[in-house]
Amino acid sequence: MYDQKIIDSAMRRLSHRRQQALLTAQQRREELSQAHPRLEETLRQLGETGPQLVKAVLARRPQEEIRRLQDRNLALQEEMSLLLKELGLPADYLEPSFHCSLCQDTGFQNGKRCSCLEALLKEEACRALPTLDGGGQYQFSNFSLDYYSQRSPAPGRPSPRQRMEGVLAKCRAYVTPFLPRGESLLFIGRTGLGKTHLSLAVAGEAARQGFGVVYASAQGICDRAERVKFGRDEDGSDGQFLRAAYGCDLLVLDDLGSEYSSPLSNATLFDLVNSRLLDRRATLISTNLSPDEMERKYSERLVSRLLCGYAMLYFEGEDIRQQKRLEEAGSR
């Protein structure tokens, strides 16, 4: 299930492709007609015989009349091919050159989504995800382990680098392949440890596999729910987004715990988490809160579902953003 904005964007791109193909064909017809009167006359006659043939068939006219129109139409088509050949042009030069020959850029074939529309939906789903500061998508390949220390914090304990190698491997396995009815993940760790990067890398890979992905911050979800509840969703986009969040293949809920706490926000988050667990829909949640802090902030029902219904991945290390700022300052 895709967010309506993603569907609309993909359909706009398809419509643009189709209109461009039709416009190019029309421009070619006009240019050749002006330069070659004989071709213009043949085009005019073809434009007349086609509808006449259709009407004759629908009206169940005598077979002799239908065959006469068919022969006339075929003769005109052959004449058109000869004229184009004389001009050194291919026989289909005046036909629209659609990007997709299967659906002629309509997006549907035999009542089902065409492969071209599916490809555009994947592209739009990826484009809708947040991007890196310098542009580009968050991916596993550009997630660097160099910022994590190789020193063990205590004898017998893995180093932050070792811990994060395991987290990265778990995230890769989670989407190889992605299972929309599989387990949900809970990323736990302080700010600046790469939770958002890996959650978006997971989201992007799931989207590239053709699954419907919705990304939102906890505060963003709560804001939308508030506008819907109090009648401030003027264009209906907030309601559409919430329905997509409930029904998508993968929901990525970022920064749980940073939202303003209220009875409505708490109820919204519980209902979303609980509904997706009951429907066995995959969800990935990231939070800066420790399990103890979650127990103090949220209801026992919500915390129970998060700690028992999700596979928890702990992020360790030093704030990567601060490390990068220090590197930039040192290079000046």
Side-chain angles (χ1 to χ4, degrees), residues 33 45 49 58 78 95 102 114 128 133 187 208 210 270 309 326:
S33 295
Q45 292 182 33
T49 57
L58 292 176
E78 291 177 6
E95 297 301 319
L102 297 176
C114 183
D133 291 340
F187 289 178
R208 280 186 285 275
F270 172 77
L326 290 174

Side-chain angles (χ1 to χ4, degrees), residues 1-2 212 242-250 272 276 279 281:
M1 179 177 182
Y2 290 99
L242 289 175
R243 286 191 292 274
Y246 274 83
C248 64
D249 297 312
L250 174 64
L272 182 58
R276 291 187 62 84
D279 293 339
R281 297 184 185 277

Side-chain angles (χ1 to χ4, degrees), residues 16 24 57 59 66 71 85 92 108 113 127 140 162 172 174 189 204 216 255 259 293 315 320 330:
H16 177 73
T24 299
V57 172
I66 293 175
D71 292 343
K85 187 176 181 179
D92 61 352
F108 295 90
R113 284 178 181 167
R127 289 174 59 182
F140 297 127
Q162 291 172 320
R172 286 182 182 274
Y174 184 73
D255 220 5
E259 76 283 351
E293 290 170 329
F315 286 59
I320 295 174

Side-chain angles (χ1 to χ4, degrees), residues 217-230:
S217 66
Q219 183 64 61
I221 284 285
C222 293
D223 288 344
R224 289 178 182 274
E226 181 180 350
R227 288 194 290 270
V228 170
K229 181 175 178 62
F230 294 106

Side-chain angles (χ1 to χ4, degrees), residues 44-277:
R44 186 188 65 77
Q45 292 182 33
L46 266 174
E48 292 176 351
T49 57
Q52 288 173 357
L53 179 58
V54 172
K55 288 180 181 179
V57 172
L58 292 176
R60 297 183 179 180
R61 305 293 296 173
Q63 286 298 313
E64 182 179 348
E65 180 179 344
I66 293 175
R67 279 196 297 271
R68 179 173 55 79
L69 288 170
Q70 288 175 331
D71 292 343
R72 175 60 176 160
N73 188 267
L74 288 173
L76 287 169
Q77 289 183 44
E78 291 177 6
E79 182 178 353
M80 177 62 67
S81 296
L82 288 173
L83 288 172
L84 291 172
K85 187 176 181 179
E86 289 175 4
L87 295 172
L89 299 172
D92 61 352
Y93 180 75
L94 297 179
E95 297 301 319
S97 180
F98 295 111
H99 188 275
C100 178
S101 59
L102 297 176
C103 70
Q104 297 187 333
D105 296 342
T106 63
F108 295 90
Q109 185 185 16
N110 298 324
K112 297 181 179 180
R113 284 178 181 167
C114 183
S115 57
C116 69
L117 176 54
E118 292 290 356
L120 285 176
L121 288 170
K122 293 176 188 179
E123 288 181 22
E124 291 301 317
C126 290
R127 289 174 59 182
L129 296 173
T131 56
L132 293 162
D133 291 340
Q137 295 178 340
Y138 289 91
Q139 298 181 22
F140 297 127
S141 60
N142 54 28
F143 180 79
S144 176
L145 291 167
D146 295 341
Y147 293 99
Y148 299 93
S149 172
Q150 299 189 57
R151 286 185 192 168
S152 173
R157 284 190 58 186
S159 68
R161 170 75 69 87
Q162 291 172 320
R163 170 81 71 180
M164 294 309 300
E165 286 175 346
V167 169
L168 177 58
K170 173 68 176 179
C171 290
R172 286 182 182 274
Y174 184 73
V175 285
T176 312
F178 175 67
L179 302 175
R181 298 294 183 181
E183 66 181 352
S184 292
L185 301 180
L186 179 61
F187 289 178
I188 299 175
R190 299 191 311 275
T191 185
L193 298 183
K195 299 188 301 298
T196 295
H197 189 129
L198 283 184
S199 65
L200 286 169
V202 168
E205 183 56 36
R208 280 186 285 275
Q209 292 179 35
F211 294 99
V213 177
V214 171
Y215 171 88
S217 66
Q219 183 64 61
I221 284 285
C222 293
D223 288 344
R224 289 178 182 274
E226 181 180 350
R227 288 194 290 270
V228 170
K229 181 175 178 62
F230 294 106
R232 297 199 295 270
D233 180 19
E234 296 178 358
D235 60 358
S237 60
D238 291 318
Q240 288 180 348
F241 188 91
L242 289 175
R243 286 191 292 274
Y246 274 83
C248 64
D249 297 312
L250 174 64
L251 170 65
V252 177
L253 189 62
D254 198 16
D255 220 5
L256 180 72
S258 65
E259 76 283 351
Y260 176 74
S261 184
S262 70
L264 176 59
S265 66
N266 292 338
T268 297
L269 293 172
F270 172 77
D271 187 61
L272 182 58
V273 168
N274 188 55
S275 294
R276 291 187 62 84
L277 277 175

